Amino acid sequence: KVFFMNTVTGQVFVQVGDICRPATPSKAEDAKNCRDSLLRWFEEHANRLAIGYYYVQEYRPSQYPSIRMISQFPTELDPVHCSRAVTNGVEVVASSLFVPGKQFSMAGGIFFYFIR
C-alpha cells in the first residue's frame, strides 16, 4: 500500500497495485475538516488497533527471525467479514481480505484468507 496526500485539499489517498482510492472524505464531503484528514486517518487506525479491530501478531518467515506486525485481517469485532465456528471442541476463526490490482489476476484482484 502507498499513501499520499493532496496538500491543496488535504485529502488522503491509498494506492494498492494499480487501484487508487480516497482514504478520507473529500473536501466536498467534509469541507470543515479536510485539512486534518491525514491526522484523522491515523487516529482512526490507532483507534482500531486499540479496540482490537486490528491486532499485533507474530509473523515467522521461513528464512528470517520472527517479527511483530499489525494485521488488518478482520477480527471477530467485524462479524460481516470474519467467521467463527466450533466443531467437536475445535474453534476456527477465518477472515478474508480483497486486494485489488491487475498484477494479481485478470479479474483485477485477489482474496487472501487467514485461518486461526
Side-chain angles (χ1 to χ4, degrees), residues 12 14-15 21 24 34 44 54 77 80 82-83 98 108 116:
V12 178
V14 60
Q15 182 171 349
R21 59 180 63 149
T24 58
C34 82
E44 180 61 23
Y54 301 147
L77 293 177
V80 173
C82 185
S83 298
F98 179 74
R116 2 186 215 291

Side-chain angles (χ1 to χ4, degrees), residues 3 7 20 28 43 47-48 55 62 64 76 111 114:
F3 294 91
T7 57
C20 182
E43 285 175 341
N47 181 56
R48 289 180 180 202
Y55 56 97
S62 60
Y64 303 99
E76 291 180 65
F111 281 95
F114 187 53

Side-chain angles (χ1 to χ4, degrees), residues 58-72:
E58 289 285 321
Y59 175 64
R60 296 182 192 97
S62 60
Q63 299 175 6
Y64 303 99
S66 67
I67 57 173
R68 293 171 50 90
M69 65 176 215
I70 296 174
S71 175
Q72 290 186 334

Side-chain angles (χ1 to χ4, degrees), residues 32-109:
K32 181 180 174 185
N33 297 315
C34 82
R35 293 196 181 194
D36 67 348
S37 61
L38 182 61
L39 175 62
R40 289 186 299 129
W41 184 89
F42 277 111
E43 285 175 341
E44 180 61 23
H45 191 76
N47 181 56
R48 289 180 180 202
L49 186 58
I51 65 170
Y53 193 86
Y54 301 147
Y55 56 97
V56 177
Q57 74 174 51
E58 289 285 321
Y59 175 64
R60 296 182 192 97
S62 60
Q63 299 175 6
Y64 303 99
S66 67
I67 57 173
R68 293 171 50 90
M69 65 176 215
I70 296 174
S71 175
Q72 290 186 334
F73 277 98
T75 65
E76 291 180 65
L77 293 177
D78 182 1
V80 173
H81 299 103
C82 185
S83 298
R84 177 184 173 274
V86 178
T87 304
N88 295 329
V90 177
E91 178 184 30
V92 176
V93 179
S95 56
S96 65
L97 286 174
F98 179 74
V99 179
K102 290 182 182 174
Q103 74 271 24
F104 294 116
S105 73
M106 295 300 291

